[in-house]
């Protein structure tokens, strides 16, 4: 028998307990052993629907000689690091779904982990993308990863297309158990960045932190952007992107306009999708539910079964250091992309001429243009050919200072 202690019995923790019970016989046959949850750790033990013994002291799990696997499902960074390190010090195998923890501490934890350490649920919920990238694609140099890896944002963007209000849909995503405890992690792009960093460590063995990469969320997307996207044949998605350019890696998370003929543009609601291009296999794509108790529990339980079977995989996929392929991060200002710009201006003579002059001066070539008259002002919508990020940022700063510009200039990168 394999005995489990679960630290954090909330949306995911309770779904793990329920599904271990529901599929008990099947799981026992696949793992080769019975799996039993013996204790749960929470802040408030008054939980009438939870059937396992509860405590508020995590050491009753991490230092319990009876327990084989500690499953960390509490979230957060510092306390979770304390719990997981203590579990590893006490020679427990660890399973976690905590991408924030891994975004900051995955390399330290890899060093500490003499026992198995699995984290399938930390990226894209129920999609087994960690095992696909770390194990299934291990023969490949990874050229590119492009993913919808935050279910909450994809759910919000999908519902906004139906004309629904942003805050109302966010509240719904929280009620359905998709959002993080602090949903600004979702809508601000940080949760997707945490996941992208985990994928990038497996793909490129690169130890970057969230502060090192470009992260933008969906808070500024409005109905005008959605209308523009529709008119020009695009969908707006929050994407995590990793691209290899010679010996450099580009890592970024931001709302992105994608042509509506692309497969990834068709991913709606809480579903996630990750496209991975390998030099041997070509493009592969993974699709499924990215958030929610049951979807995440499916991935957590698969890790528990993997460990119960006696397997120990190299945590980030490398048995020995990769000496000859040292890759570094490309500075965010050097990113090359096409852009969409939204500019609200007074309806005056010479406005377009001044804006096009600033764009041209900053090496930005206009690809298409649309003018939308509104009550007392005009919205100008541009798409550009490929430009360098720092040129776009300089042009936006200059345009923002023109006295006929009424609101903040907004932009979305276009991925083609
Ligand atoms: P949740 O519903 O907020 O549950 C968190 C649980 O952890 C609660 O039982 C809470 O106790 C407990 N907890 C929090 N801080 C604690 C502390 N300091 N000491 C003891 N217990 C503590 O969160 P969740 O949605 O299940 O998410 C858990 C983890 O899974 C997070 O890392 C999240 O990022 C990750 N994840 C979630 C999803 C999803 O769809 N929800 C998907 C993939 C990954 P109380 O109940 O007493 O407050
Ligand atoms: N809050 C996360 C999301 C949970 O919405 O994708 C899954 O990691």
């Amino acid at each position: 028998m394999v005995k489990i202690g679960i630290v954090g019995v909330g949306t995911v923790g309770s779904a793990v307990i329920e599904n271990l019970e529901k599929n008990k016989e099947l799981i026992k046959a696949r793992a080769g052993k019975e799996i039993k949850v013996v204790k749960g750790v929470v802040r408030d033990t008054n939980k009438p629907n939870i059937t396992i013994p509860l405590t508020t002291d995590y050491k009753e799990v991490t230092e319990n000689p009876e327990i084989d696997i500690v499953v960390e499902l509490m979230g957060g960074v510092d306390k979770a690091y304390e719990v997981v390190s203590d579990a590893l010090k006490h020679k427990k195998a660890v399973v976690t779904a905590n991408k924030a923890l891994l975004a900051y501490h995955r390399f330290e934890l890899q060093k500490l982990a003499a026992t198995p350490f699995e984290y399938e649920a930390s990226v894209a919920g129920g999609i087994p993308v960690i095992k696909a990238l770390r194990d299934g694609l291990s023969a490949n140099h990874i050229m590119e990863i492009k993913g919808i890896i935050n279910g909450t944002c994809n759910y919000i963007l999908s519902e906004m297309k139906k004309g629904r209000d942003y805050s109302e849909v966010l509240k719904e995503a929280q009620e359905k158990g998709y959002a993080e405890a602090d949903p600004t992690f979702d809508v601000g792009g940080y949760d997707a960045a945490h996941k992208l960093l985990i994928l990038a460590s497996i793909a490129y063995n690169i130890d970057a932190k969230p502060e090192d990469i470009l992260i933008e969320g969906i808070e500024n997307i409005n109905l005008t952007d959605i209308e523009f996207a529709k008119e020009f044949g695009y969908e707006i998605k929050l994407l995590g992107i990793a691209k290899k350019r010679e010996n450099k890696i580009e890592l970024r998370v931001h709302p992105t306009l994608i042509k509506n003929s692309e497969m990834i543009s068709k991913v709606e609601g809480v579903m996630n999708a990750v496209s991975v291009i390998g030099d041997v296999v070509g493009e592969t794509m993974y699709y499924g539910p990215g958030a929610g108790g049951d979807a995440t529990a499916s991935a957590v339980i698969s890790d528990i079964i993997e460990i119960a079977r006696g397997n120990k995989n190299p945590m980030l996929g490398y048995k020995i250091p990769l000496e000859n392929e040292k890759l570094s991060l490309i500075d965010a200002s050097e990113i090359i992309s096409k852009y969409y710009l939204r500019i609200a201006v007074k309806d005056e003579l010479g406005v377009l001429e001044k804006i096009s002059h600033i764009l041209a001066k900053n090496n930005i070539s206009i690809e298409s243009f649309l003018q939308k008259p509104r009550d007392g002002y005009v919205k100008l919508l541009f798409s550009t050919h490929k430009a360098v990020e720092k040129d776009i940022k300089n042009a936006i700063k200059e345009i923002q200072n023109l006295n006929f510009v009424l609101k903040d200039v907004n932009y979305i990168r276009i991925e083609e």
Side-chain angles (χ1 to χ4, degrees):
M1 182 184 293
V2 171
K3 292 192 176 163
I4 312 277
I6 301 188
V7 186
V9 190
T11 305
V12 181
S14 53
V16 167
I17 295 168
E18 270 168 39
N19 286 295
L20 276 171
E21 185 55 36
K22 178 172 148 246
N23 290 352
K24 200 172 171 174
E25 290 309 316
L26 176 77
I27 290 168
K28 182 179 169 187
R30 290 196 170 140
K33 286 172 189 149
E34 191 183 333
I35 291 167
K36 186 167 184 221
V37 183
V38 293
K39 188 149 275 184
V41 184
V42 288
R43 285 174 295 207
D44 174 6
T45 55
N46 182 22
K47 293 188 177 10
N49 296 330
I50 304 296
T51 48
I52 59 162
L54 294 174
T55 171
T56 55
D57 179 7
Y58 75 80
K59 287 184 187 282
E60 285 187 33
V61 162
T62 56
E63 298 180 11
N64 184 338
E66 240 204 322
I67 286 175
D68 307 293
I69 307 178
V70 173
V71 181
E72 185 275 305
L73 299 170
M74 66 192 284
V77 177
D78 294 341
K79 190 73 181 175
Y81 182 65
E82 187 183 313
V83 170
V84 168
S85 319
D86 197 48
L88 292 173
K89 273 182 208 142
H90 289 86
K91 302 283 175 268
K92 309 294 177 199
V94 168
V95 172
T96 182
N98 188 340
K99 47 274 159 123
L101 167 71
L102 296 173
Y104 284 97
H105 295 297
R106 60 203 181 282
F107 282 87
E108 289 147 271
L109 290 170
Q110 179 177 235
K111 269 195 200 140
L112 270 180
T115 41
F117 191 117
E118 296 290 343
Y119 50 99
E120 184 59 73
S122 67
V123 180
I127 311 177
V129 68
I130 299 287
K131 290 186 181 78
L133 186 61
R134 187 186 63 185
D135 307 333
L137 298 179
S138 56
N140 290 261
H141 281 102
I142 304 301
M143 312 314 291
E144 185 182 295
I145 301 173
K146 220 186 265 180
I148 294 175
I149 45 180
N150 184 271
T152 303
C153 286
N154 207 51
Y155 183 75
I156 293 174
L157 291 171
S158 302
E159 291 298 309
M160 276 176 78
K161 274 197 306 191
K162 301 174 190 162
R164 293 188 61 199
D165 176 64
Y166 175 95
S167 3
E168 175 192 312
V169 184
L170 171 58
K171 196 161 161 269
E172 204 170 278
Q174 287 176 286
E175 283 161 8
K176 286 175 185 272
Y178 301 157
E180 294 304 299
D182 174 358
T184 55
F185 274 85
D186 295 291
V187 296
Y190 304 104
D191 177 75
H194 295 159
K195 294 165 176 166
L196 182 69
L197 289 168
I198 296 169
L199 295 178
S201 324
I202 300 170
Y204 307 114
N205 199 28
I206 195 159
D207 184 7
K209 299 275 187 287
E211 293 73 23
D212 302 329
I213 69 167
L214 187 153
I215 306 173
E216 289 170 11
I218 62 166
E219 305 99 320
N220 294 326
I221 304 292
N222 69 18
L223 289 175
T224 308
D225 305 327
I226 289 170
E227 267 172 41
F228 169 90
K230 206 168 172 191
E231 204 151 336
F232 283 83
Y234 290 107
E235 292 284 342
I236 304 177
K237 297 289 177 193
L238 184 84
L239 284 195
I241 298 172
K243 280 186 187 171
K244 189 166 182 237
R245 281 206 251 148
E246 291 162 7
N247 59 347
K248 296 213 163 187
I249 303 298
E250 197 174 300
L251 293 181
R252 49 191 165 108
V253 170
H254 49 71
T256 313
L257 284 156
I258 318 167
K259 275 280 175 212
N260 60 15
S261 52
E262 298 256 338
M263 248 205 285
I264 203 164
S265 77
K266 302 185 194 309
V267 175
E268 298 286 348
V270 74
M271 303 308 269
N272 280 192
V274 184
S275 144
V276 183
I277 301 179
D279 64 343
V280 181
V281 69
E283 182 172 9
T284 61
M285 194 151 172
Y286 310 90
Y287 170 84
D294 285 342
T296 312
S298 163
V300 170
I301 295 172
S302 83
D303 282 346
I304 295 173
I305 293 174
E306 178 79 358
I307 295 171
R309 283 170 172 167
N311 296 339
K312 181 179 188 311
N313 299 302
M315 183 186 154
L316 296 170
Y318 298 83
K319 282 270 214 188
I320 54 170
L322 185 65
E323 292 298 353
N324 299 327
E325 289 190 39
K326 285 267 176 269
L327 301 169
S328 58
L329 270 187
I330 291 178
D331 192 85
S333 64
E334 298 300 331
I335 285 167
I336 297 169
S337 177
K338 293 173 72 169
Y339 292 80
Y340 149 89
L341 303 175
R342 162 166 46 95
I343 311 171
V345 295
K346 291 183 195 157
D347 197 356
E348 297 181 351
L349 195 71
V351 162
L352 263 183
E353 190 268 325
K354 285 188 182 119
I355 292 177
S356 357
H357 174 72
I358 291 175
L359 292 174
K361 201 179 72 177
N362 284 285
N363 312 308
I364 299 157
S365 161
I366 297 168
E367 184 191 59
S368 65
F369 168 67
L370 198 67
Q371 176 161 332
K372 296 243 175 208
R374 292 284 189 263
D375 245 6
Y377 73 103
V378 176
K379 275 188 183 174
L380 305 178
L381 311 174
F382 296 90
S383 73
T384 76
H385 288 287
K386 276 194 174 161
V388 181
E389 179 88 7
K390 63 175 176 250
D391 290 336
I392 285 282
K393 290 286 170 68
N394 286 337
I396 288 175
K397 215 183 279 171
E398 281 188 56
I399 293 170
Q400 194 72 69
N401 286 333
L402 295 169
N403 55 14
F404 53 75
V405 172
L406 296 173
K407 296 181 189 165
D408 282 352
V409 175
N410 239 310
Y411 61 90
I412 307 178
R413 294 173 192 80
I414 301 172
E415 189 70 19
E416 282 188 5

